[in-house]
Amino acid sequence: MSYSDSDSSSYGGDYKNFKQITRERLLYEMLRSAKTGKSKSTWKVLIMDKLTVKIMSYSCKMADITQEGVSLVEDLYRRRQPLPSMEAIYFIQPTKENVVAFLSDMSGKSPLYKKAFVFFSSPISRELVTHIKKDSTVLPRIGALREMNLEYFAIDSQVRKMTSLS
């Protein structure tokens, strides 16, 4: 079947396959949304954990990510150079360890980044939201806090593999 055959349904309308939808959600709902509004920075840093790196890599190429304004991709748990003039996009699982690492990056007088747009791969617990709200130095530095509900791997156009949280 050619690519053009899979682009339209039997009703004549266009549709997108599973991998395309996942890709568009990552690129447009997450990365592009961090470029709008009060955000003045052209380039951003993308910070991910081990699982979200895999989710992103199944759906997007580095060129796609760069085209959406990401100049650097970093591991949440690696030592990172402070870039206080840049904004950061966090795509992370909503775990206590990840939230603590995020708060560590953004709290105090010298945060690693100017502003953070935080996107969780699955729903975040109320306890973790409360934990974030308690840090008054971090709250004004948060540009977005959203659940993406993308904790799966889009292996191809019709197949996905659900991730195991255990």
Side-chain angles (χ1 to χ4, degrees):
M1 175 190 303
S2 72
Y3 183 73
S4 60
D5 290 339
S6 65
D7 276 348
S8 59
S9 69
S10 58
Y11 298 106
D14 289 341
Y15 76 91
K16 295 177 178 147
N17 67 43
F18 189 72
K19 192 170 186 175
Q20 290 171 320
I21 292 167
T22 302
R23 178 181 176 275
E24 288 181 5
R25 290 203 56 217
L26 288 166
L27 294 176
Y28 306 130
E29 286 182 40
M30 188 174 73
L31 299 182
R32 189 171 288 175
S33 73
K35 289 181 8 181
T36 60
K38 297 178 183 175
S39 174
K40 304 276 190 258
S41 296
T42 306
W43 293 102
K44 298 201 176 7
V45 180
L46 175 60
I47 298 133
M48 297 181 283
D49 59 33
K50 288 186 189 311
L51 178 74
T52 55
V53 165
K54 289 179 184 178
I55 293 169
M56 184 69 79
S57 67
Y58 270 103
S59 300
C60 302
K61 297 176 183 166
M62 191 62 199
D64 299 329
I65 296 167
T66 303
Q67 191 172 4
E68 292 304 323
V70 173
S71 62
L72 184 61
V73 177
E74 297 270 22
D75 184 327
L76 179 65
Y77 288 103
R78 297 221 177 198
R79 186 181 203 113
R80 288 170 271 124
Q81 176 183 352
L83 299 167
S85 64
M86 292 186 77
E87 295 177 345
I89 300 168
Y90 285 78
F91 180 38
I92 56 177
Q93 287 181 280
T95 64
K96 184 168 185 166
E97 296 79 19
N98 286 355
V99 168
V100 167
F102 158 69
L103 291 173
S104 173
D105 287 354
M106 297 303 295
S107 64
K109 292 182 180 178
S110 302
L112 291 183
Y113 311 102
K114 179 170 49 176
K115 187 170 275 301
F117 298 84
V118 185
F119 298 89
F120 293 105
S121 58
S122 61
I124 184 170
S125 70
R126 281 198 175 155
E127 294 80 26
L128 289 176
V129 172
T130 301
H131 190 61
I132 294 169
K133 286 181 175 180
K134 283 182 184 175
D135 195 328
S136 61
T137 62
V138 173
L139 284 180
R141 297 174 183 153
I142 297 175
L145 193 67
R146 283 185 62 188
E147 297 170 340
M148 294 299 291
N149 297 315
L150 289 171
E151 212 158 274
Y152 56 81
F153 304 138
I155 296 171
D156 65 26
S157 63
Q158 297 177 350
V159 179
R160 69 177 186 239
K161 178 182 176 187
M162 305 303 281
T163 61
S164 173
L165 297 176
S166 52

